[in-house]
Amino acid sequence: MRAHGPLKTSRMSETAYEAIEGAIVRCELPPGTPLVDRQLSEALGVSRTPIRDAMQSLEAVGLAMRVRGRYAVAGFDVEDVRELYQVRRLLEPAGLEELARTWDEETVDELAGFFDEAQRPGPPGPYEDYLARDHAFHKRIVSLTGNSRVKRFYAVNEKQINRIRHYLAPGYEGRMTEVVSEHKEVCEAIGRRDLTAARAALIGHLEAGEATMITFLAQQQEPNEG
Amino acid sequence: MRAHGPLKTSRMSETAYEAIEGAIVRCELPPGTPLVDRQLSEALGVSRTPIRDAMQSLEAVGLAMRVRGRYAVAGFDVEDVRELYQVRRLLEPAGLEELARTWDEETVDELAGFFDEAQRPGPPGPYEDYLARDHAFHKRIVSLTGNSRVKRFYAVNEKQINRIRHYLAPGYEGRMTEVVSEHKEVCEAIGRRDLTAARAALIGHLEAGEATMITFLAQQQEPNEG
DNA sequence: ATTTGGCATTTGGTATTCCATATCCCCTTG
DNA sequence: CAAGGGGATATGGAATACCAAATGCCAAAT
């Protein structure tokens, strides 16, 4: 029985995936929320098939999980934060080391001046803008590895970190100005052609970020791991 | 219309996935082979739905890909080998560094003697046994990171490398004895509690492996990247 | 009142049907 | 004979139907 025109605009699986992923990352669907295909099917106006495709993908990137057969939004805890930041400390310095190896002057200059443009003095802009700029910087560093597998792995990692950022906000913006100065420290070291210092500054920055996130998460009376 | 009892034994998606994945890794389905859901559906005796689930997973781990909408077994080339080994050089030393940090005597002894047992002198056993032992060694090192995300990433990486090993065999077994001695070098350094040397030996081992694989692959008149 | 058995509901998995698009082949036409 | 059109086929995507297992609830019995 055909209900109505199903509007085969594009891949409904991808549309559904992005809708659900966005809702999970923004914590509109909090950790532990059951993901019931029939409900989501009705809510998004598509059939169960693309929804189940999307849920499979969400499970693959660790945003959803199956607990005794039932799908639910994945939980996270302090140990996840440790893992996520360990991955960053592993991948991002690798980008800098590749830069040290190849030493492309143009790229060095690009990174050294990454925050020059659109960097107004005084209070930084809205949180979302700041997050986007932050992410662009770190993503650019990882891209220096030129390794597509590393980049994909990093992207999944970042998605999970971003979700915890959303979970912790508001209150988490407090570190914004601190992070900006840490970024500048990395960029200045790159500008001085001192990649050893840049690497150290980057790792310090990541360690500070991990510590902050763990502190906030522990305060929040950490929820259970999914 | 119900054809016959479909035997809902367990998750047919996983069964189908493992069947197809195995065939791809063993190169029974060579790179470029079209993966047609209806064909596989008939071949494996299940409907299209679990097959399509499996193909989605295969695409996620890089063993299959979609070229203009059609699924096919992913190809690979020298650049893939570089990426795959760069990932290994990134992850495996991280395991040793974690061991250096925590310095668990029991684990050190375990790794130092990893190849003592069942290591008969003279010619090594069958290639498959050797591969399994090799993989167990490196996997154990990566597991020292204690990072589940790293371990999953590494496992996917290994699956892809293993496929290329199968693709290159026979002839590729020639490096077996060489690899065994390189492994022993790593283990001996660990036994001497010299993790710096162990790290160096491990990286050298990986670089040798990459060079060998690239040589063999280049000889084989490299196929096109999927 | 508690426990237990069974039925209704929920939910995920699989099969089947329907549909859209792309590709290929043959036929027509200039 | 070549080029273009049109239908047949192949193939993937989505919707729906069907099924099994798990869950929960309610009633009945002790």
Side-chain angles (χ1 to χ4, degrees), chain B residues 4 6 38 42-43 68 103 114 121 147 158 161-162 177 202 209 211:
Chain B
H4 53 80
R38 276 171 241 259
E42 190 182 7
R68 276 210 313 280
W103 202 256
F114 200 94
N147 190 311
E158 278 297 286
I161 289 183
N162 217 19
T177 56
L202 177 60

Side-chain angles (χ1 to χ4, degrees), chain B residues 8 35 37-38 48 52 66 69-71:
Chain B
K8 172 77 143 306
L35 294 173
D37 52 10
R38 276 171 241 259
R48 291 174 58 205
R52 306 203 70 242
R66 273 192 296 218
R70 310 296 171 92
Y71 281 100

Side-chain angles (χ1 to χ4, degrees), chain B:
Chain B
M1 179 216 313
R2 197 117 209 122
H4 53 80
L7 271 296
K8 172 77 143 306
T9 51
S10 62
R11 310 279 157 278
M12 300 308 284
S13 301
E14 293 177 19
T15 307
Y17 173 84
E18 278 157 28
I20 303 173
E21 187 207 71
I24 293 177
V25 168
R26 290 188 299 274
C27 286
E28 295 160 13
L29 294 174
T33 305
L35 294 173
V36 181
D37 52 10
R38 276 171 241 259
Q39 287 177 9
L40 294 168
S41 163
E42 190 182 7
L44 298 181
V46 295
S47 84
R48 291 174 58 205
T49 309
I51 298 291
R52 306 203 70 242
D53 286 353
M55 294 212 290
Q56 188 181 341
S57 298
L58 288 166
E59 190 195 5
V61 302
L63 290 175
M65 55 181 323
R66 273 192 296 218
V67 50
R68 276 210 313 280
R70 310 296 171 92
Y71 281 100
V73 177
F76 50 82
D77 60 11
V78 169
E79 177 58 23
D80 286 294
V81 177
R82 286 202 196 94
E83 288 197 9
L84 293 164
Y85 272 89
Q86 184 181 18
V87 169
R88 293 189 68 176
R89 287 196 305 272
L90 211 48
L91 302 189
E92 300 192 23
L96 285 190
E97 273 152 34
E98 187 64 25
L99 180 60
R101 202 164 11 252
T102 63
W103 202 256
D104 175 44
E105 281 290 332
E106 194 175 348
T107 306
V108 170
D109 289 339
E110 174 207 340
L111 283 173
F114 200 94
F115 290 98
D116 286 354
E117 49 191 284
Q119 189 72 21
R120 25 191 186 301
Y127 190 48
E128 289 295 335
D129 290 1
Y130 151 79
L131 280 186
R133 195 106 188 112
D134 179 328
H135 177 68
F137 178 61
H138 290 281
K139 182 179 173 185
R140 182 71 185 89
I141 288 177
V142 170
S143 80
L144 298 176
T145 62
N147 190 311
S148 62
R149 289 161 172 85
V150 167
K151 284 188 265 188
R152 273 196 294 276
F153 183 41
Y154 184 79
V156 171
N157 208 256
E158 278 297 286
K159 231 163 254 176
Q160 297 186 8
I161 289 183
N162 217 19
R163 178 162 77 118
I164 305 182
R165 283 204 194 96
H166 277 91
Y167 183 80
L168 260 25
Y172 198 62
E173 301 94 331
R175 214 177 102 71
M176 245 195 303
T177 56
E178 205 174 339
V179 165
V180 169
S181 87
E182 286 168 12
H183 281 173
K184 283 188 172 174
E185 196 181 340
V186 175
C187 292
E188 282 169 11
I190 293 176
R192 293 195 312 272
R193 270 59 181 163
D194 185 353
L195 285 200
T196 304
R199 184 196 148 100
L202 177 60
I203 291 181
H205 166 54
L206 292 174
E207 284 172 347
E210 174 181 351
T212 303
M213 184 170 275
I214 286 180
T215 301
F216 271 75
L217 190 54
Q219 278 178 4
Q220 204 108 351
Q221 213 58 304
E222 106 209 22
N224 48 358
E225 160 74 353

